[in-house]
Amino acid sequence: MRAASNSLVILQSGNTKTRHHVAWPEDMKLNPDLWAEVFLKLPVKTLVRVRDVCKSWRSIIDSPDFITEHCEQFKKNSDKNQLLLVERTGPLRLKYSGKVIRVVNKLTFEEIRQITKVSEKCKIWDVFDGLFLYQDYDATIYTSLKIWNPSVGKSWRLPDPPRPLPRLLGQGDDKLVLGFDPSSKDYKVIGFRRNDGVSVKKLSSEIAVYSGINRLWKIKTVEVNEPFSYFAVLQHQHHFCQGAAHWIVSDGARNDGGFEYTHVLSFDFGIEEFRCVELPGMEMFKCLFVFGKSLAVFGISAESSRIWIMGEDVGEVVGEKQWILCFEGGSSLDAYNFFKEYKFARITYDEYTGEFFVVVSTNSETKLMSYNITSQRIMAFVTVVGNRTCCADSYVESLVTF
């Protein structure tokens, strides 16, 4: 038998960690593929420690393919019950006012862990795959953009966007979105702004794109679908899936003066272009959510409700045939009015229970509501009084570096 090899292995069970020196014969070592399977089941904090055991383990854990797969695995398990809250610690007018970023249980609002404390004026643009895109506020101006991964304890400063987009730092009329291009495995930041000098609020055809691989900004001219693009990008929270950010929008074409969402506006992080897809079906109130790895639409009226799934390859302009009807059920006037009342709220769906979760945050309170598509039952899980400034629907720890 070959000589034994000693390695330090750190095992974690709940909140207890133990360190063991393990000796095994050379011919009993696992090959890299099997080690990767083992590592995929470990949480981020454990992997940060075990990557220092040997060069081969570090090579596996640091590989882009492993990082992507590990993030996807943990999304399946943690996305469904973890909610990210940003909460003020004091009144805005007081000097000591700040924000606490913490992860809570989606069903109970009980704290799972506190991530950090930041100043009141710290601007959090986006949270994606465990990465925070944010800006600090120093005296009278916002500082440069930063990417931060609290799970690995690292942050990265981004260079300032080039002209003609100097306003992209801390301005209310701009929008920054963090996303991922699966074809190149590149994390990117996309900056949109309002077109200057026009009476109608339109989205500028010039966008700023930052590549995490190239470490550079570039200015790109894109074709913009109007009249709803700017309003959609600025006002609505996006849903990210299939390598694109998606917003639900309205073309404002109703003759009776009412309001109805009519299209999905998407920005593809691979080709860095917009595309527009008409929403499916009949006149219903509609909202977007992510179903597995696909974009989905929930439609509801006072009489019925439906769920459609979007095909993976929708192209630039597609018809209704690209939407696949996967659920059709009953409804009620109460349920219809419930979704209309919270039309700007972030909505998530639990595939196992058939529950929609609606998180509504105002300056005075945060409410967690649910709706069951089978029983048409509306429930208020909890109402928390306080000054919550923003909510994200989910949070996942990751090994992603920028």
Side-chain angles (χ1 to χ4, degrees):
M1 184 176 289
R2 298 180 185 178
S5 173
N6 292 305
S7 292
L8 175 65
V9 178
I10 303 172
L11 302 178
Q12 180 170 344
S13 177
N15 295 322
T16 304
K17 303 182 183 69
T18 58
R19 296 170 179 261
H20 300 276
H21 284 277
V22 180
W24 55 75
E26 292 288 340
D27 57 359
M28 292 180 64
K29 285 186 177 180
L30 298 178
N31 64 44
D33 289 340
L34 291 177
W35 273 124
E37 289 297 320
V38 173
F39 293 154
L40 283 173
K41 303 180 185 302
L42 299 179
V44 171
K45 291 183 179 179
T46 303
L47 292 174
V48 170
R49 294 181 174 92
V50 302
R51 69 185 290 277
D52 293 329
V53 170
C54 61
K55 290 182 179 179
S56 61
W57 286 13
R58 175 174 296 193
S59 177
I60 295 170
I61 295 170
D62 289 351
S63 68
D65 288 341
F66 176 83
I67 291 174
T68 300
E69 189 172 357
H70 183 271
C71 187
E72 290 299 321
Q73 289 269 10
F74 271 73
K75 276 183 182 180
K76 296 177 183 177
N77 299 324
S78 62
D79 256 15
K80 294 179 175 60
N81 62 4
Q82 292 193 5
L83 184 71
L84 187 72
L85 292 183
V86 181
E87 181 182 11
R88 286 199 194 116
T89 57
L92 183 60
R93 64 181 180 274
L94 298 181
K95 292 182 179 180
Y96 59 80
S97 177
K99 298 175 183 175
V100 175
I101 304 174
R102 61 195 187 103
V103 179
V104 300
N105 184 289
K106 179 180 286 188
L107 299 181
T108 64
F109 274 19
E110 293 181 357
E111 183 174 305
I112 297 173
R113 60 191 169 278
Q114 181 175 303
I115 296 179
T116 190
K117 294 182 179 180
V118 297
S119 69
E120 170 62 37
K121 293 186 178 181
C122 178
K123 191 174 186 68
I124 301 172
W125 287 99
D126 204 359
V127 182
F128 178 72
D129 279 2
L131 298 174
F132 287 73
L133 174 64
Y134 75 101
Q135 285 176 282
D136 288 321
Y137 190 83
D138 184 12
T140 59
I141 62 172
Y142 280 100
T143 59
S144 297
L145 286 166
K146 294 180 181 178
I147 301 286
W148 174 51
N149 185 338
S151 299
V152 299
K154 293 183 179 180
S155 63
W156 302 266
R157 178 185 176 275
L158 275 60
D160 292 342
R163 293 183 180 275
L165 293 178
R167 299 190 303 109
L168 272 175
L169 295 181
Q171 299 298 317
D173 283 343
D174 298 312
K175 183 76 171 181
L176 294 171
V177 178
L178 177 62
F180 180 67
D181 173 20
S183 61
S184 61
K185 291 185 170 55
D186 189 7
Y187 283 86
K188 298 179 180 180
V189 177
I190 311 296
F192 311 99
R193 66 166 182 158
R194 179 170 59 86
N195 197 359
D196 293 326
V198 294
S199 57
V200 180
K201 290 184 176 181
K202 296 183 177 180
L203 188 70
S204 173
S205 59
E206 289 186 324
I207 64 171
V209 181
Y210 181 82
S211 166
I213 292 178
N214 298 328
R215 308 287 179 182
L216 294 172
W217 286 96
K218 67 180 179 182
I219 302 298
K220 181 173 180 178
T221 301
V222 296
E223 182 179 347
V224 180
N225 296 287
E226 297 295 348
F228 42 68
S229 300
Y230 170 73
F231 175 81
V233 170
L234 183 66
Q235 300 294 334
H236 288 73
Q237 292 187 6
H238 64 275
H239 297 261
F240 196 96
C241 65
Q242 298 181 8
H246 308 274
W247 294 266
I248 192 166
V249 296
S250 173
D251 62 6
R254 282 186 58 167
N255 296 324
D256 59 3
F259 177 82
E260 182 181 356
Y261 291 124
T262 58
H263 292 76
V264 173
L265 179 68
S266 304
F267 185 85
D268 191 299
F269 273 62
I271 61 175
E272 298 169 1
E273 296 285 350
F274 283 104
R275 68 187 183 209
C276 188
V277 178
E278 188 173 359
L279 286 170
M282 50 206 296
E283 287 191 6
M284 289 178 154
F285 174 78
K286 300 183 181 77
C287 55
L288 294 184
F289 66 99
V290 176
F291 188 95
K293 293 185 177 181
S294 299
L295 186 70
V297 174
F298 174 63
I300 187 168
S301 68
E303 296 80 28
S304 63
S305 60
R306 295 185 178 187
I307 293 177
W308 295 269
I309 304 293
M310 178 187 275
E312 291 191 11
D313 184 13
V314 298
E316 294 182 359
V317 180
V318 298
E320 188 174 321
K321 63 182 180 180
Q322 292 294 335
W323 294 99
I324 302 168
L325 181 64
C326 68
F327 171 83
E328 188 169 8
S331 182
S332 66
L333 182 59
D334 287 342
Y336 175 62
N337 290 332
F338 168 74
F339 280 94
K340 286 191 68 176
E341 180 182 359
Y342 299 122
K343 60 177 177 285
F344 293 114
R346 183 73 164 181
I347 295 173
T348 57
Y349 180 66
D350 190 322
E351 301 170 34
Y352 299 101
T353 63
E355 299 271 354
F356 280 99
F357 292 96
V358 182
V359 179
V360 183
S361 183
T362 67
N363 287 332
S364 60
E365 64 182 16
T366 298
K367 294 192 293 185
L368 177 64
M369 311 285 288
S370 74
Y371 174 73
N372 187 287
I373 61 174
T374 302
S375 66
Q376 292 102 55
R377 183 180 60 178
I378 302 170
M379 289 186 61
F381 275 93
V382 66
T383 298
V384 180
V385 177
N387 292 318
R388 293 208 160 70
T389 55
C390 68
C391 288
D393 65 312
S394 61
Y395 175 72
V396 60
E397 293 185 351
S398 77
L399 290 161
V400 175
T401 57
F402 202 84

